[in-house]
Amino acid sequence: MAREAAQWPPEETLSLWKREQARLKALVVDRDTEAWQRDAAFLGLQRVGGVDVSFVKGDSISACASLVVLSYPELEVVYEDCCMVSLTAPYVSGFLAFREVPFLVDAVRRLREKEPRLVPQVLLVDGNGVLHHQGFGVACHLGVLTDLPCIGVAKKLLQVDGLENNARHKEKIRLLRAGGDSFPLIGGSGTVLGMALKSHDHSSKPLYVSVGHKISLEAAVRLTQGCCRFRVPEPVRQADIRSRDYIRRTLGVPGPPAPGQERSQKVQRPKVCPKEGSEEPEGEGRPPEAHS
């Protein structure tokens, strides 16, 4: 029987979230802070992390929070942490972090305690950073709370500050010819909120990269491209694959999918909770903003 998430939070909870969001937003650093970020080949970067939260179809309470660490530039998994969790907060557009980030922070804490030498030097998050309604998406939230450089990588455009997935935007996407091609996402305020990136030569859809914490947009885009064997950067892709596999093994969900079908047959998240990276339901367990 399907289980439903908590009821819509009371106004006082939303007010508390807004105040906390504003407090943490003031701590965001949107520039390069590490020497490797300023190096053309990212010399000195050895470990990149990826996080994901996967849901069980029909159950918006039970989820699997995963953290993986990959070697760089080899992109081989050197650490994996998957843990079933029970979500207590509902999905609210613009506030995905309050629903999911505590479990991801716990995963980073466990890694620091168990294998400090494997702590990633940067985290890639399936969601948005400063490309967000309040300029403080899940990648910013996680970055500030873990004090790690963080990059937001969303698969859908979060339509904020005048950004629209309209004909003009689609034409710009069509003009992206090769992997690595990109164009800036400039809001109505004139602020560059992120970049649309063609991450792979054979990908027809871009990724939307934005700063999370302690890295510049230029370095974030270059590193995201450098982590892509397929459309989605490998740290995020591996976190997603392994979290879904963990759900199958733990709860007996049918699987695994046949080779080449793992993306289309991923464990579906509750329809009531899209993803924040797009701030609209995206089928990632949260609504599109779920990528925020």
Side-chain angles (χ1 to χ4, degrees):
M1 183 175 181
R3 295 200 298 163
E4 298 182 358
Q7 299 294 316
W8 187 267
E11 281 304 316
E12 57 190 76
T13 297
L14 289 175
S15 295
L16 179 64
W17 286 357
K18 290 176 182 177
R19 290 196 299 273
E20 180 67 357
Q21 206 171 51
R23 182 184 73 83
L24 295 176
K25 179 181 177 180
L27 302 177
V28 169
V29 176
D30 60 0
R31 64 181 183 280
D32 293 327
T33 60
E34 313 300 320
W36 62 261
Q37 297 167 334
R38 295 183 284 272
D39 184 86
F42 293 125
L43 187 63
L45 177 61
Q46 299 177 319
R47 300 174 307 282
V48 294
V51 295
D52 186 60
V53 176
S54 289
F55 292 75
V56 181
K57 184 176 181 179
D59 187 340
S60 57
I61 294 177
S62 297
C64 177
S66 65
L67 163 67
V68 297
V69 181
L70 282 65
S71 59
Y72 188 87
E74 300 84 3
L75 299 178
E76 299 297 331
V77 176
V78 297
Y79 176 88
E80 170 184 347
D81 179 321
C82 292
C83 181
M84 294 301 298
V85 300
S86 294
L87 303 173
T88 57
Y91 169 77
V92 179
S93 178
F95 299 96
L96 176 72
F98 293 96
R99 177 173 168 83
E100 298 181 3
V101 161
F103 305 110
L104 301 177
V105 170
D106 284 346
V108 173
R109 175 186 52 76
R110 286 193 296 271
L111 172 55
R112 282 176 163 146
E113 293 174 351
K114 294 190 297 184
E115 296 280 1
R117 64 187 181 83
L118 295 180
V119 172
Q121 293 161 277
V122 59
L123 281 172
L124 277 70
V125 181
D126 186 4
N128 287 312
V130 298
L131 174 57
H132 179 265
H133 296 302
Q134 286 81 43
F136 189 75
V138 66
C140 298
H141 205 125
L142 182 60
V144 170
L145 292 185
T146 60
D147 195 34
L148 291 173
C150 237
I151 301 171
V153 184
K155 296 187 285 293
K156 290 188 177 182
L157 176 66
L158 183 56
Q159 301 185 49
V160 297
D161 192 16
L163 293 176
E164 292 185 53
N165 188 21
N166 53 20
R168 182 182 178 189
H169 181 76
K170 291 175 181 176
E171 176 62 15
K172 288 182 178 180
I173 292 174
R174 193 183 67 79
L175 295 175
L176 298 176
R177 301 298 186 187
D181 288 353
S182 63
F183 62 84
L185 301 170
I186 304 175
S189 64
T191 302
V192 177
L193 300 173
M195 296 284 284
L197 168 70
K198 184 179 179 70
S199 59
H200 190 277
D201 286 345
H202 303 296
S203 176
S204 60
K205 297 180 180 180
L207 295 174
Y208 296 99
V209 181
S210 57
V211 170
H213 185 50
K214 297 178 75 171
I215 193 167
S216 67
L217 180 58
E218 185 272 337
V221 171
R222 283 197 300 120
L223 181 57
T224 298
Q225 169 66 20
C227 287
C228 286
R229 288 176 172 167
F230 304 96
R231 179 195 175 208
V232 176
E234 203 63 12
V236 172
R237 179 173 173 271
Q238 288 298 326
D240 171 60
I241 290 173
R242 289 161 191 265
S243 62
R244 291 185 290 113
D245 182 62
Y246 189 82
I247 288 174
R248 284 193 292 266
R249 289 185 284 110
T250 303
L251 303 182
V253 176
Q261 294 182 326
E262 62 186 9
R263 299 305 298 173
S264 62
Q265 292 185 1
K266 82 179 287 184
V267 174
Q268 297 179 20
R269 282 86 178 232
K271 295 180 179 180
V272 293
C273 291
K275 195 160 191 176
E276 205 176 338
S278 24
E279 287 268 345
E280 301 158 10
E282 185 174 89
E284 285 195 34
R286 327 128 178 157
E289 175 212 332
H291 288 276
S292 1

